[in-house]
mmCIF file of all heavy atoms in Angstrom:
data_model
loop_
_atom_site.group_PDB
_atom_site.id
_atom_site.type_symbol
_atom_site.label_atom_id
_atom_site.label_comp_id
_atom_site.label_asym_id
_atom_site.label_seq_id
_atom_site.Cartn_x
_atom_site.Cartn_y
_atom_site.Cartn_z
ATOM 1 N N PHE J 1445 6.431 4.512 7.804
ATOM 2 C CA PHE J 1445 5.014 4.757 7.920
ATOM 3 C C PHE J 1445 4.379 4.382 6.604
ATOM 4 O O PHE J 1445 3.331 3.786 6.479
ATOM 5 C CB PHE J 1445 4.616 6.008 8.188
ATOM 6 C CG PHE J 1445 5.315 6.544 9.656
ATOM 7 C CD1 PHE J 1445 6.460 7.340 9.552
ATOM 8 C CD2 PHE J 1445 4.922 6.066 10.877
ATOM 9 C CE1 PHE J 1445 7.142 7.631 10.794
ATOM 10 C CE2 PHE J 1445 5.498 6.475 11.994
ATOM 11 C CZ PHE J 1445 6.725 7.142 11.986
ATOM 12 N N ALA J 1446 4.949 4.808 5.451
ATOM 13 C CA ALA J 1446 4.360 4.494 4.044
ATOM 14 C C ALA J 1446 4.411 2.973 3.780
ATOM 15 O O ALA J 1446 3.443 2.494 3.233
ATOM 16 C CB ALA J 1446 5.117 5.296 3.021
ATOM 17 N N ALA J 1447 5.518 2.163 4.225
ATOM 18 C CA ALA J 1447 5.569 0.967 4.000
ATOM 19 C C ALA J 1447 4.450 0.211 4.842
ATOM 20 O O ALA J 1447 3.881 -0.863 4.248
ATOM 21 C CB ALA J 1447 7.048 0.311 4.353
ATOM 22 N N ARG J 1448 4.182 0.535 6.014
ATOM 23 C CA ARG J 1448 3.247 -0.156 6.927
ATOM 24 C C ARG J 1448 1.823 0.030 6.202
ATOM 25 O O ARG J 1448 0.979 -0.818 6.202
ATOM 26 C CB ARG J 1448 3.275 0.410 8.230
ATOM 27 C CG ARG J 1448 4.394 -0.137 9.079
ATOM 28 C CD ARG J 1448 4.577 0.599 10.366
ATOM 29 N NE ARG J 1448 5.663 0.078 11.108
ATOM 30 C CZ ARG J 1448 6.260 0.630 12.210
ATOM 31 N NH1 ARG J 1448 5.544 1.748 12.727
ATOM 32 N NH2 ARG J 1448 7.180 0.092 12.859
ATOM 33 N N ASP J 1449 1.649 1.316 5.695
ATOM 34 C CA ASP J 1449 0.312 1.569 4.997
ATOM 35 C C ASP J 1449 0.201 0.701 3.771
ATOM 36 O O ASP J 1449 -0.972 -0.013 3.432
ATOM 37 C CB ASP J 1449 0.263 2.927 4.552
ATOM 38 C CG ASP J 1449 -1.099 3.420 4.086
ATOM 39 O OD1 ASP J 1449 -1.947 2.504 4.033
ATOM 40 O OD2 ASP J 1449 -1.337 4.653 3.949
ATOM 41 N N MET J 1450 1.298 0.402 3.020
ATOM 42 C CA MET J 1450 1.273 -0.403 1.821
ATOM 43 C C MET J 1450 0.993 -1.860 2.276
ATOM 44 O O MET J 1450 0.217 -2.585 1.506
ATOM 45 C CB MET J 1450 2.584 -0.333 1.171
ATOM 46 C CG MET J 1450 2.672 -1.087 -0.170
ATOM 47 S SD MET J 1450 4.132 -0.870 -1.130
ATOM 48 C CE MET J 1450 5.423 -1.410 0.015
ATOM 49 N N ILE J 1451 1.559 -2.353 3.394
ATOM 50 C CA ILE J 1451 1.231 -3.736 3.821
ATOM 51 C C ILE J 1451 -0.293 -3.863 4.158
ATOM 52 O O ILE J 1451 -0.776 -4.886 3.806
ATOM 53 C CB ILE J 1451 2.119 -3.942 5.074
ATOM 54 C CG1 ILE J 1451 3.643 -4.105 4.600
ATOM 55 C CG2 ILE J 1451 1.663 -5.188 5.800
ATOM 56 C CD1 ILE J 1451 3.814 -5.356 3.864
ATOM 57 N N ILE J 1452 -0.790 -2.911 4.769
ATOM 58 C CA ILE J 1452 -2.241 -3.005 5.123
ATOM 59 C C ILE J 1452 -3.095 -2.961 3.922
ATOM 60 O O ILE J 1452 -4.050 -3.754 3.745
ATOM 61 C CB ILE J 1452 -2.684 -1.670 6.014
ATOM 62 C CG1 ILE J 1452 -1.937 -1.859 7.448
ATOM 63 C CG2 ILE J 1452 -4.163 -1.612 6.155
ATOM 64 C CD1 ILE J 1452 -2.169 -0.560 8.181
ATOM 65 N N SER J 1453 -2.782 -2.299 2.799
ATOM 66 C CA SER J 1453 -3.482 -2.261 1.540
ATOM 67 C C SER J 1453 -3.285 -3.632 0.998
ATOM 68 O O SER J 1453 -4.269 -4.164 0.357
ATOM 69 C CB SER J 1453 -2.936 -1.150 0.632
ATOM 70 O OG SER J 1453 -3.136 0.117 1.255
ATOM 71 N N LEU J 1454 -2.091 -4.169 0.933
ATOM 72 C CA LEU J 1454 -1.886 -5.562 0.307
ATOM 73 C C LEU J 1454 -2.644 -6.624 1.019
ATOM 74 O O LEU J 1454 -3.156 -7.535 0.387
ATOM 75 C CB LEU J 1454 -0.432 -5.827 0.260
ATOM 76 C CG LEU J 1454 0.494 -4.937 -0.710
ATOM 77 C CD1 LEU J 1454 1.968 -5.283 -0.508
ATOM 78 C CD2 LEU J 1454 0.116 -5.301 -2.110
ATOM 79 N N ARG J 1455 -2.716 -6.541 2.301
ATOM 80 C CA ARG J 1455 -3.459 -7.612 3.092
ATOM 81 C C ARG J 1455 -4.920 -7.483 2.921
ATOM 82 O O ARG J 1455 -5.717 -8.463 3.085
ATOM 83 C CB ARG J 1455 -3.108 -7.534 4.447
ATOM 84 C CG ARG J 1455 -1.757 -8.001 4.942
ATOM 85 C CD ARG J 1455 -1.449 -7.842 6.337
ATOM 86 N NE ARG J 1455 -0.171 -8.448 6.664
ATOM 87 C CZ ARG J 1455 0.478 -8.319 7.901
ATOM 88 N NH1 ARG J 1455 -0.216 -7.542 8.891
ATOM 89 N NH2 ARG J 1455 1.631 -8.997 8.104
ATOM 90 N N SER J 1456 -5.457 -6.327 2.458
ATOM 91 C CA SER J 1456 -6.825 -6.189 2.256
ATOM 92 C C SER J 1456 -7.279 -6.658 0.751
ATOM 93 O O SER J 1456 -8.408 -6.515 0.355
ATOM 94 C CB SER J 1456 -7.265 -4.719 2.302
ATOM 95 O OG SER J 1456 -6.613 -3.892 1.375
ATOM 96 N N GLY J 1457 -6.228 -7.089 0.041
ATOM 97 C CA GLY J 1457 -6.567 -7.662 -1.358
ATOM 98 C C GLY J 1457 -6.177 -6.742 -2.457
ATOM 99 O O GLY J 1457 -6.501 -7.034 -3.569
ATOM 100 N N MET J 1458 -5.647 -5.582 -2.173
ATOM 101 C CA MET J 1458 -5.383 -4.617 -3.258
ATOM 102 C C MET J 1458 -4.096 -4.998 -4.010
ATOM 103 O O MET J 1458 -3.053 -5.474 -3.367
ATOM 104 C CB MET J 1458 -5.066 -3.188 -2.629
ATOM 105 C CG MET J 1458 -5.018 -2.125 -3.618
ATOM 106 S SD MET J 1458 -4.696 -0.529 -2.755
ATOM 107 C CE MET J 1458 -6.351 -0.305 -1.999
ATOM 108 N N PRO J 1459 -3.973 -4.853 -5.275
ATOM 109 C CA PRO J 1459 -2.646 -5.255 -6.015
ATOM 110 C C PRO J 1459 -1.506 -4.325 -5.652
ATOM 111 O O PRO J 1459 -1.822 -3.226 -5.073
ATOM 112 C CB PRO J 1459 -3.046 -5.007 -7.542
ATOM 113 C CG PRO J 1459 -4.564 -5.156 -7.495
ATOM 114 C CD PRO J 1459 -5.101 -4.664 -6.209
ATOM 115 N N LEU J 1460 -0.366 -4.731 -5.879
ATOM 116 C CA LEU J 1460 0.805 -3.995 -5.443
ATOM 117 C C LEU J 1460 0.882 -2.589 -6.067
ATOM 118 O O LEU J 1460 1.214 -1.586 -5.445
ATOM 119 C CB LEU J 1460 2.052 -4.831 -5.773
ATOM 120 C CG LEU J 1460 3.374 -4.158 -5.423
ATOM 121 C CD1 LEU J 1460 3.518 -3.845 -3.947
ATOM 122 C CD2 LEU J 1460 4.616 -4.954 -5.840
ATOM 123 N N TYR J 1461 0.537 -2.587 -7.385
ATOM 124 C CA TYR J 1461 0.566 -1.275 -8.044
ATOM 125 C C TYR J 1461 -0.317 -0.218 -7.484
ATOM 126 O O TYR J 1461 -0.074 0.894 -7.240
ATOM 127 C CB TYR J 1461 0.251 -1.439 -9.580
ATOM 128 C CG TYR J 1461 0.154 -0.136 -10.324
ATOM 129 C CD1 TYR J 1461 1.241 0.681 -10.498
ATOM 130 C CD2 TYR J 1461 -1.114 0.232 -10.791
ATOM 131 C CE1 TYR J 1461 1.151 1.893 -11.259
ATOM 132 C CE2 TYR J 1461 -1.181 1.469 -11.410
ATOM 133 C CZ TYR J 1461 -0.165 2.382 -11.649
ATOM 134 O OH TYR J 1461 -0.278 3.456 -12.297
ATOM 135 N N ASN J 1462 -1.633 -0.791 -7.207
ATOM 136 C CA ASN J 1462 -2.549 0.184 -6.620
ATOM 137 C C ASN J 1462 -2.252 0.589 -5.112
ATOM 138 O O ASN J 1462 -2.504 1.667 -4.673
ATOM 139 C CB ASN J 1462 -3.986 -0.604 -6.574
ATOM 140 C CG ASN J 1462 -4.562 -0.846 -7.908
ATOM 141 O OD1 ASN J 1462 -4.120 -0.205 -8.913
ATOM 142 N ND2 ASN J 1462 -5.522 -1.790 -8.026
ATOM 143 N N ALA J 1463 -1.506 -0.376 -4.451
ATOM 144 C CA ALA J 1463 -1.036 -0.020 -3.051
ATOM 145 C C ALA J 1463 -0.005 1.114 -3.235
ATOM 146 O O ALA J 1463 0.048 2.023 -2.344
ATOM 147 C CB ALA J 1463 -0.450 -1.249 -2.410
ATOM 148 N N ILE J 1464 0.880 1.015 -4.225
ATOM 149 C CA ILE J 1464 1.845 2.070 -4.420
ATOM 150 C C ILE J 1464 1.309 3.397 -4.834
ATOM 151 O O ILE J 1464 1.720 4.502 -4.323
ATOM 152 C CB ILE J 1464 2.972 1.529 -5.445
ATOM 153 C CG1 ILE J 1464 3.732 0.421 -4.914
ATOM 154 C CG2 ILE J 1464 3.978 2.675 -5.707
ATOM 155 C CD1 ILE J 1464 4.728 -0.169 -5.960
ATOM 156 N N VAL J 1465 0.189 3.298 -5.611
ATOM 157 C CA VAL J 1465 -0.507 4.523 -6.022
ATOM 158 C C VAL J 1465 -1.087 5.225 -4.668
ATOM 159 O O VAL J 1465 -1.040 6.437 -4.596
ATOM 160 C CB VAL J 1465 -1.598 4.257 -7.001
ATOM 161 C CG1 VAL J 1465 -2.450 5.439 -7.292
ATOM 162 C CG2 VAL J 1465 -0.903 3.805 -8.350
ATOM 163 N N SER J 1466 -1.593 4.407 -3.877
ATOM 164 C CA SER J 1466 -2.225 4.976 -2.642
ATOM 165 C C SER J 1466 -1.294 5.557 -1.695
ATOM 166 O O SER J 1466 -1.639 6.581 -0.918
ATOM 167 C CB SER J 1466 -3.011 3.901 -1.862
ATOM 168 O OG SER J 1466 -2.008 2.852 -1.310
ATOM 169 N N ILE J 1467 -0.023 5.286 -1.686
ATOM 170 C CA ILE J 1467 0.941 5.867 -0.765
ATOM 171 C C ILE J 1467 1.874 6.845 -1.511
ATOM 172 O O ILE J 1467 2.801 7.359 -0.947
ATOM 173 C CB ILE J 1467 1.766 4.908 -0.137
ATOM 174 C CG1 ILE J 1467 2.594 4.041 -1.105
ATOM 175 C CG2 ILE J 1467 1.057 3.983 0.865
ATOM 176 C CD1 ILE J 1467 3.567 3.029 -0.450
ATOM 177 N N SER J 1468 1.553 7.168 -2.813
ATOM 178 C CA SER J 1468 2.271 8.122 -3.550
ATOM 179 C C SER J 1468 1.996 9.612 -3.116
ATOM 180 O O SER J 1468 2.575 10.519 -3.680
ATOM 181 C CB SER J 1468 1.958 7.920 -4.981
ATOM 182 O OG SER J 1468 0.676 8.152 -5.293
ATOM 183 N N THR J 1469 1.056 9.805 -2.275
ATOM 184 C CA THR J 1469 0.743 11.130 -1.705
ATOM 185 C C THR J 1469 0.425 10.970 -0.180
ATOM 186 O O THR J 1469 0.007 9.899 0.252
ATOM 187 C CB THR J 1469 -0.618 11.632 -2.216
ATOM 188 O OG1 THR J 1469 -1.706 10.627 -2.179
ATOM 189 C CG2 THR J 1469 -0.384 12.005 -3.768
#
């Protein structure tokens, strides 16, 4: 579930580090 959330963030143009920060909680 966290990985799918990260994929959605990356497709919206967010950098990888910011996507990891968003799923760290």
Side-chain angles (χ1 to χ4, degrees):
F1445 304 103
R1448 287 171 178 168
D1449 192 353
M1450 184 172 62
I1451 288 292
I1452 294 172
S1453 300
L1454 290 174
R1455 285 179 176 172
S1456 64
M1458 187 180 294
L1460 179 60
Y1461 173 72
N1462 294 340
I1464 294 175
V1465 172
S1466 65
I1467 60 175
S1468 60
T1469 55

